[in-house]
Amino acid sequence: MSNKYDVIVIGSGPAGYVSAIRCAQLGLKTACVEKWVSDKGKQILGGTCLNVGCIPSKALLESSHKYEEAKHDLDIHGISLDDLKMDVPRMIERKDTIVKNLTGGIASLFKANGVTSIQGTGKLLAGKKVEVTDDKGDVAVYDADNVILATGSKAIEIPPAPLTEGFIVDSTGALDFNEVPKRLGVIGAGVIGLELGSVWARLGAEVTVLEAQDTFLSIVDQQIAKEALRQYKKQGLDIKLKARVNGTDIKRGLINVSYEDSKGAQELKVDKLIVGVGRSPVTEGLLAADSGVNLDERGFIFVDDKCRTDVPGIFAIGDVVRGPMLAHKGSEEGIMVAERIAGQKTQVNYDCIPGVIYTNPEIAWVGQTEEQLKADGVEYNVGTCPFAASGRAMAANNTVGLVKIIADAKTDRILGVHIIGAGASELIAQAVVAMEFGSSAEDLGLTVFAHPTLSETVHEAALSVAGHAIHTVNKKKRK
Ligand code: FAD
Ligand code: AMP
């Protein structure tokens, strides 16, 4: 078989595998290079997202949510459960089965679409050549008309908390505890730290989250972030802001975590510690010195808004380039690049990429926050609706949270939607669709929503932008 391809994709995460499949669908001869192998030497497709990210974390969040619900939230429905037990190894096994099925599914999709899967570590050489070293050390060089770099990201390690087997773990280790730790520390109150901290808190761990910044969830609209902090604290998550970890010491089976807060030096004793301080792009060994591809000042592969690097025919997508580290962002970039290689004019609308935090309550948003609009001097109107006003939310005993819609004061175009509450991860999709089509708040308010649904809260928040809400009292009363 010839070593020449129309497209070689390096990395099989949600950016790379989606791009490879789309390329093949468009008739391009495509190969995808992935280095990851199991202990048994079998290639593992799907990247961080499927193996140690989005999917396994959501599997554990679902299991722990069910346990928490059974423990605390069923009695109100008249259901009582005696002798509730949690079998942690069984929960982990279920998570592993889901991961196995999904990653195996990608191998089948590659086969069905005609993508050639190559095991090994890829390196971009000059002249659009890709050198691949497999896990046995054998080297092969392939030619391509186009190369798509999709090597993703890895967890950042910090010197004060070196990963130590059985004690100090990153997000991957936190997906595989074989029992519930009595006391769990989490460094970093970012999305990953909060989600994984929640899993083990729900199962009974005493969780302390240490966050260096003094603003909680600075990427989230602060009205929503404040409500989130209140709810997490109510659930027993001890979140300490302005608390910077500067050392750890393991003695007699316990981790002593030293940190500095506004009152000075502090200590925390925990049984396990999760380091969740962010992720960095994977570029080590990827680019030959003369490849012509450059990195930006933060170490990401430099690309424009069409994911083109500085070398024609070489693209980069997903976590290895600028923008939010989200699976769906990388997948959309992968599709855009595939279709542009095939001569189409596809673009990614970077203004409409939703973000979700899968805690309880869930947080989801799209577009701009009030803080960003204020900083940009944009005039806007805000409409909100609490879930407490929803009959469906009451029926489900899920009345915490609200929907907030921000619209341009002059044009009424929706600029941002922010949701905290049960089902926020699903509800946000309707806001994304509305914004993608350039909807005004009025358009959304004129749309018919089924009753009784949680979605009606989105409708009501849209009405409230103009002071026309029916089921809540309007702050601004307008005709
Ligand atoms: P990756 O998924 O990191 O895949 C890159 C692949 O490239 C890997 O398989 C790697 O082995 C391979 N590779 C690297 N270098 C080479 C090389 N030189 N040669 C060959 N192969 C190579 N995002 C969401 O949108 N929603 C979530 O709910 C969510 N939850 C998360 C939970 C956790 C715990 C974590 C850690 C992340 C989560 N993310 C979530 C982020 C999401 O996983 C990433 O944004 C996504 O996986 C990035 O996709 P990618 O394809 O760019 O890179
Ligand atoms: P994210 O990048 O969203 O995953 O969030 C990571 C969080 O970790 C950020 O909010 C950082 O402020 C926080 N962080 C980084 N280093 C430390 C540290 N040494 N101690 C406490 N928090 C930290």
Side-chain angles (χ1 to χ4, degrees):
M1 199 165 155
S2 155
N3 269 3
K4 174 92 200 272
Y5 288 89
D6 294 325
V7 183
I8 295 181
V9 183
I10 305 183
S12 74
Y17 85 74
V18 167
S19 196
I21 289 173
R22 189 69 191 119
C23 285
Q25 285 174 348
L26 289 161
L28 300 163
K29 187 183 170 198
T30 306
C32 183
V33 183
E34 172 57 59
K35 64 179 179 184
W36 207 337
V37 283
S38 70
D39 302 341
K40 292 177 189 129
K42 199 170 170 259
Q43 191 184 30
I44 296 178
L45 302 175
T48 305
C49 168
L50 265 58
N51 291 285
V52 291
C54 321
I55 300 301
S57 60
K58 264 80 259 175
L60 297 189
L61 279 158
E62 199 63 44
S63 298
S64 57
H65 181 60
K66 289 207 183 307
Y67 177 79
E68 189 183 47
E69 217 174 23
K71 193 156 187 188
H72 301 293
D73 301 331
L74 291 186
D75 53 341
I76 195 167
H77 297 276
I79 304 168
S80 53
L81 285 171
D82 296 327
D83 199 21
L84 188 67
K85 283 199 194 89
M86 185 68 218
D87 182 343
V88 173
R90 180 104 198 263
M91 172 180 80
I92 301 288
E93 200 182 293
R94 186 191 87 99
K95 180 258 301 175
D96 291 340
T97 306
I98 294 167
V99 168
K100 204 167 146 220
N101 289 343
L102 275 173
T103 54
I106 294 181
S108 309
L109 287 173
F110 274 2
K111 224 182 209 162
N113 285 284
V115 175
T116 305
S117 191
I118 300 172
Q119 193 285 317
T121 301
K123 178 175 186 169
L124 179 71
L125 309 179
K128 288 191 266 189
K129 287 184 190 305
V130 175
E131 178 192 277
V132 180
T133 309
D134 72 15
D135 63 329
K136 291 174 197 75
D138 294 335
V139 179
V141 176
Y142 300 86
D143 282 296
D145 288 334
N146 301 276
V147 179
I148 304 175
L149 306 169
T151 49
S153 63
K154 59 176 191 300
I156 294 175
E157 292 183 34
I158 50 171
L163 300 190
T164 312
E165 190 157 355
F167 293 97
I168 305 178
V169 298
D170 59 10
S171 59
T172 301
L175 295 168
D176 273 329
F177 291 156
N178 51 16
E179 59 182 6
V180 181
K182 188 169 176 314
R183 284 161 302 182
L184 172 67
V186 180
I187 312 180
V191 179
I192 290 174
L194 289 170
E195 288 188 1
L196 294 175
S198 291
V199 166
W200 299 105
R202 290 168 187 180
L203 300 180
E206 281 168 36
V207 177
T208 308
V209 184
L210 302 169
E211 167 55 56
Q213 287 187 37
D214 55 356
T215 308
F216 182 61
L217 284 177
S218 54
I219 51 166
V220 172
D221 185 278
Q222 284 302 294
Q223 182 182 358
I224 304 290
K226 284 196 179 89
E227 177 61 16
L229 188 58
R230 217 166 62 86
Q231 295 301 331
Y232 297 154
K233 284 193 166 167
K234 246 168 104 177
Q235 290 162 15
L237 277 182
D238 184 4
I239 298 173
K240 297 188 191 296
L241 299 177
K242 250 183 150 176
R244 177 171 291 279
V245 173
N246 48 32
T248 49
D249 182 24
I250 302 172
K251 264 197 200 128
R252 287 187 286 279
L254 273 187
I255 311 160
N256 251 324
V257 186
S258 326
Y259 64 96
E260 185 91 16
D261 68 9
S262 45
K263 294 189 196 91
Q266 308 285 347
E267 275 205 352
L268 172 76
K269 281 189 175 36
V270 290
D271 303 285
K272 300 247 191 250
L273 181 64
I274 302 173
V275 183
V277 296
R279 299 180 63 79
S280 60
V282 173
T283 55
E284 212 181 294
L286 177 65
L287 307 168
D290 58 353
S291 74
V293 171
N294 295 304
L295 304 184
D296 67 18
E297 64 284 356
R298 295 173 58 218
F300 292 86
I301 295 176
F302 178 78
V303 287
D304 66 7
D305 63 341
K306 309 291 182 313
C307 292
R308 292 175 290 214
T309 68
D310 289 329
V311 182
I314 313 276
F315 304 84
I317 56 176
D319 280 11
V320 79
V321 302
R322 85 281 170 273
M325 286 186 167
L326 293 169
H328 43 284
K329 175 260 191 187
S331 299
E332 291 308 311
E333 289 179 332
I335 289 171
M336 169 176 72
V337 167
E339 295 184 349
R340 292 186 82 87
I341 289 172
Q344 300 178 17
K345 298 258 181 286
T346 315
Q347 300 189 20
V348 170
N349 181 358
Y350 285 99
D351 294 334
C352 277
I353 296 177
V356 178
I357 308 178
Y358 293 82
T359 47
N360 182 20
E362 289 184 343
I363 298 172
W365 68 93
V366 58
Q368 289 173 286
T369 63
E370 266 200 76
E371 292 72 32
Q372 286 166 334
L373 293 169
K374 271 189 195 131
D376 292 346
V378 178
E379 285 182 37
Y380 57 86
N381 291 319
V382 174
T384 57
C385 180
F387 284 106
S390 154
R392 184 65 189 275
M394 272 182 228
N397 196 33
N398 267 329
T399 51
V400 165
L402 71 146
V403 176
K404 171 174 181 174
I405 297 184
I406 311 177
D408 188 287
K410 287 192 198 84
T411 64
D412 195 38
R413 191 185 176 119
I414 300 173
L415 301 174
V417 178
H418 307 273
I419 307 178
I420 177 166
S425 59
E426 299 292 342
L427 293 177
I428 200 65
Q430 47 198 284
V432 180
V433 173
M435 285 180 66
E436 184 68 30
F437 285 91
S439 167
S440 63
E442 186 187 27
D443 290 330
L444 201 53
L446 287 167
T447 307
V448 183
F449 286 70
H451 174 77
T453 56
L454 294 178
S455 301
E456 285 174 298
T457 314
V458 176
H459 181 242
E460 195 77 4
L463 291 174
S464 141
V465 170
H468 296 167
I470 303 292
H471 299 90
T472 53
V473 178
N474 292 291
K475 281 198 187 120
K476 287 181 205 154
K477 292 203 173 77
R478 296 215 197 114
K479 287 202 177 148

